[in-house]
Amino acid sequence: MSGAVRVRVDRERCCGAGNCVVTAPEVFDQDDADGLVLLRRAEPPADAADRVRLAVELCPAGAITVAPRPVPERSSTP
Ligand code: SF4
């Protein structure tokens, strides 16, 4: 499955395992202070979507969610 996604993380659930950072480092980071996830890009490039979905599967805490990103409406005026 492909397509642009919107990503959310729940730092309350995160246990700092770091799988997401290894899987998609341009999207996720770990806070130097507490080791918990930081979201670098809530709307990553479409070519990162599959790795983001893999990060969702690999996260042991269920702290990452993704949703399809709505396609922006095109203006009909020039
Ligand atoms: S994989 Fe999940 S638990 Fe581990 S750092 Fe990322 S969000 Fe947190």
Side-chain angles (χ1 to χ4, degrees), residues 1-8 27 41-53 65-72:
M1 194 166 131
S2 62
V5 293
R6 182 171 288 158
V7 186
R8 297 186 66 178
V27 179
R41 299 188 70 175
E43 296 190 349
D47 62 2
D50 285 345
R51 283 182 291 113
V52 170
R53 291 190 183 92
T65 53
V66 295
R69 192 188 317 165
V71 177

Side-chain angles (χ1 to χ4, degrees), residues 10-63:
D10 183 347
R11 286 173 52 86
E12 298 286 318
R13 297 185 73 141
C14 176
C15 62
N19 295 352
C20 57
V21 182
V22 173
T23 306
E26 77 274 50
V27 179
F28 304 101
D29 200 354
Q30 274 180 289
D31 193 322
D32 286 340
D34 58 16
L36 301 181
V37 65
L38 293 173
L39 187 58
R40 295 167 59 106
R41 299 188 70 175
E43 296 190 349
D47 62 2
D50 285 345
R51 283 182 291 113
V52 170
R53 291 190 183 92
L54 179 59
V56 172
E57 291 179 27
L58 295 176
C59 176

